[in-house]
């Protein structure tokens, strides 16, 4: 009798359909081996939010480990996998100094000029 906790290829498309577009993006980046902080920077969200999405993906895909999630992701047909990819050229650039700390620099009361 098959183990109900093991991901079966026939169930993957159904489970993939339960993911939100953001969860698909995060799972695609996790499968590429990217770190949470890298994913967060590229998507313009916090690292905590990436961890939240990653946990949701693990639960919805019923994966017991990241390795199992990656193996499952790689068994999906390429068009299904690429549907959640971050579009090339959309990665974020480094924040401007004004965004980090304004004209006063990153520390209050220190003039950066």
């Amino acid at each position: 009798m098959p183990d109900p906790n093991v991901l079966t290829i026939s169930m993957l498309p159904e489970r993939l359909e339960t993911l939100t577009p953001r969860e698909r993006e995060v799972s695609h980046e996790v499968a590429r081996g990217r770190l949470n902080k890298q994913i967060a920077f590229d998507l313009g969200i916090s690292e905590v939010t990436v961890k939240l999405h990653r946990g949701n993906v693990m639960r919805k895909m019923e994966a017991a480990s990241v390795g199992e999630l990656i193996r499952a992701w790689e068994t999906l047909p390429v068009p299904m996998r690429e549907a959640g990819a971050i579009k090339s050229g959309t990665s974020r650039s480094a924040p401007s100094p004004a965004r980090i700390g304004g004209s006063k620099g990153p520390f209050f009361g220190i003039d950066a000029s």
Side-chain angles (χ1 to χ4, degrees):
M1 177 167 223
D3 185 354
N5 295 326
V6 175
L7 285 170
T8 58
I9 294 173
S10 63
M11 294 296 292
L12 290 177
E14 279 180 29
R15 292 179 186 166
L16 186 66
E17 291 299 317
T18 66
L19 301 180
T20 65
R22 182 64 90 186
E23 289 167 349
R24 281 176 170 247
E25 287 178 319
V26 169
S27 59
H28 182 267
E29 296 303 309
V30 168
R32 288 182 53 213
R34 309 278 320 272
L35 300 173
N36 290 341
K37 63 172 47 178
Q38 293 170 320
I39 298 169
F41 181 80
D42 286 347
L43 296 178
I45 58 178
S46 75
E47 192 173 345
V48 172
T49 304
V50 171
K51 290 177 184 180
L52 176 83
H53 289 311
R54 190 171 168 160
N56 289 342
V57 169
M58 297 286 290
R59 180 179 45 80
K60 289 178 179 182
M61 294 295 288
E62 299 179 23
S65 67
V66 173
E68 188 175 313
L69 178 65
I70 292 170
R71 283 190 298 276
W73 189 260
E74 290 175 348
T75 62
L76 291 168
V78 174
M80 289 182 89
R81 282 187 273 167
E82 296 304 317
I86 298 174
K87 307 296 181 253
S88 61
T90 60
S91 64
R92 296 172 44 112
S93 60
S96 69
R99 209 169 146 208
I100 293 172
S103 63
K104 295 278 186 186
F107 303 103
F108 295 107
I110 299 175
D111 191 5
S113 43

